[in-house]
Amino acid sequence: MGLGVPHFSACRFTGDPQCLYRVRRFTHRTLKLWGRRSCAEDTTTVASELVTNALRHALKNRPDGNGWLGLMNHPDAIICAVHDPSLDRPVSHPATLHDTKGRGLIIIDILSHDWGYALHGDSGKTVWALLPT
């Protein structure tokens, strides 16, 4: 579901983990439409990790909550941003070889040029990643 603005597209998601398939498909199709096939896999992975973090930490106990994934197409980069209703700051924790989760921010850090977050008063936060094309 794009917003109809050139070089920007957004998709709403719910707390249902089944939405990850839709988020990945939306991201991959949007990048293909923009002619950004070279960074489609990395951007899709980053979007999936950002949304997974929102599902696990912000929407887990909010069945009626939702978040937004936004993609921006710049000449030399893609910005991938996820807004969720939580004010909790993203924190990377070291993962052991036996951990089955906890590597999302590490993956985002490896695949992106830069990433960060912004708090929005009482309305939550946006976590973003900048991926070079």
Side-chain angles (χ1 to χ4, degrees), residues 101-114:
K101 56 186 177 181
R103 293 181 179 85
L105 291 177
I106 295 168
I107 292 169
I108 292 165
D109 192 51
I110 290 169
L111 294 178
S112 65
H113 176 71
D114 196 12

Side-chain angles (χ1 to χ4, degrees), residues 25-105:
R25 189 178 70 203
F26 164 80
T27 303
H28 202 268
R29 285 182 178 177
T30 300
L31 292 169
K32 184 178 172 184
L33 179 68
W34 289 342
R36 298 296 190 151
R37 292 175 192 258
S38 65
C39 64
E41 294 304 319
D42 286 352
T43 305
T44 300
T45 300
V46 167
S48 180
E49 292 297 334
L50 289 172
V51 171
T52 297
N53 285 347
L55 292 173
R56 283 195 179 137
H57 303 292
L59 298 174
K60 182 178 182 179
N61 296 320
R62 299 177 188 199
D64 60 337
N66 61 66
W68 284 92
L69 164 66
L71 300 171
M72 292 186 72
N73 183 15
H74 287 278
D76 55 354
I78 297 292
I79 298 173
C80 178
V82 169
H83 178 79
D84 67 53
S86 172
L87 293 173
D88 294 336
R89 299 163 192 246
V91 178
S92 183
H93 299 285
T96 70
L97 290 175
H98 304 291
D99 289 337
T100 58
K101 56 186 177 181
R103 293 181 179 85
L105 291 177

